[in-house]
Amino acid sequence: MTQPSCTGPRIGLGFDLHRLEEARPCRLGGITLDHPAGHSDGDAVLHAVTDALLGAAGLDDIGTLFPDTDAANKDQDSAVFIQAAIDAIQKEGYRIGNVDIVIATEGPRIAPSRPAMRERLAELLGIPTNAVNVKGKTLEGMGALAKGAGVAVQAICLLMPKR
Ligand code: MG
């Protein structure tokens, strides 16, 4: 017997890890930071948020929709991934309630860029600025990330039924 489908709010979690590389601009949370960075346009925040949205709607993940083996996805603007996820969740009958993000890094300092990130993310997601939050965390001197090698991002989102 098939189970009835979930019709209430749905929660989704996304995670991404990017290496910081010299000679590339550091894109995080839809803005450019004055710090070097990595893969595609390097925006681990937008990748994690994309996965959180897709996960909440019970859809595929970013790697399945946009495989990094496809040359078209190399250096792709991460806003394209976000828009694809928004289109997909809307098709499932959901809208975004809120998104919360943790960026763990000892590379760029996050605090000074929080307001700009929240504003840009809200714009990309089509939700109010107070429905997006961003927090920076340091690694307390532990592991390779603590040497400034990369950024790890967790994003969680709540989807609400559209009506
Ligand atoms: Mg990524």
Side-chain angles (χ1 to χ4, degrees):
M1 201 177 101
T2 23
Q3 298 289 320
S5 61
C6 172
T7 53
R10 298 183 63 135
I11 196 164
L13 179 66
F15 175 77
D16 201 20
L17 198 57
H18 281 195
R19 196 176 293 280
L20 294 171
E21 292 168 4
E22 296 297 331
R24 304 197 70 155
C26 181
R27 295 282 297 172
L28 263 185
I31 66 170
T32 303
L33 304 184
D34 185 20
H35 201 278
H39 169 77
S40 69
D41 73 355
D43 201 325
V45 169
L46 296 191
H47 293 186
V49 170
T50 298
D51 260 351
L53 295 173
L54 294 171
L59 300 169
D60 281 330
D61 65 7
I62 189 172
T64 308
L65 293 183
F66 301 99
D68 60 9
T69 47
D70 184 343
N73 297 326
K74 193 180 179 306
D75 297 321
Q76 180 63 275
D77 180 353
S78 301
V80 169
F81 303 149
I82 289 279
Q83 192 53 55
I86 292 171
D87 292 347
I89 65 153
Q90 285 180 343
K91 212 168 136 198
E92 294 294 312
Y94 286 96
R95 64 178 176 84
I96 303 169
N98 73 299
V99 173
D100 196 15
I101 295 158
V102 176
I103 303 171
T105 186
E106 286 185 6
R109 285 197 61 233
I110 302 304
S113 303
R114 281 185 69 210
M117 265 187 216
R118 291 181 69 188
E119 208 168 300
R120 177 62 183 144
L121 285 164
E123 189 183 3
L124 285 170
L125 295 166
I127 57 179
T129 310
N130 68 5
V132 188
N133 213 342
V134 176
K135 296 168 298 276
K137 297 291 287 183
T138 64
L139 284 299
E140 304 288 343
M142 292 178 283
L145 284 181
K147 297 186 184 111
V151 293
V153 180
Q154 278 188 310
I156 195 163
C157 74
L158 187 69
L159 297 187
M160 306 295 290
K162 261 201 248 176
R163 285 160 297 109

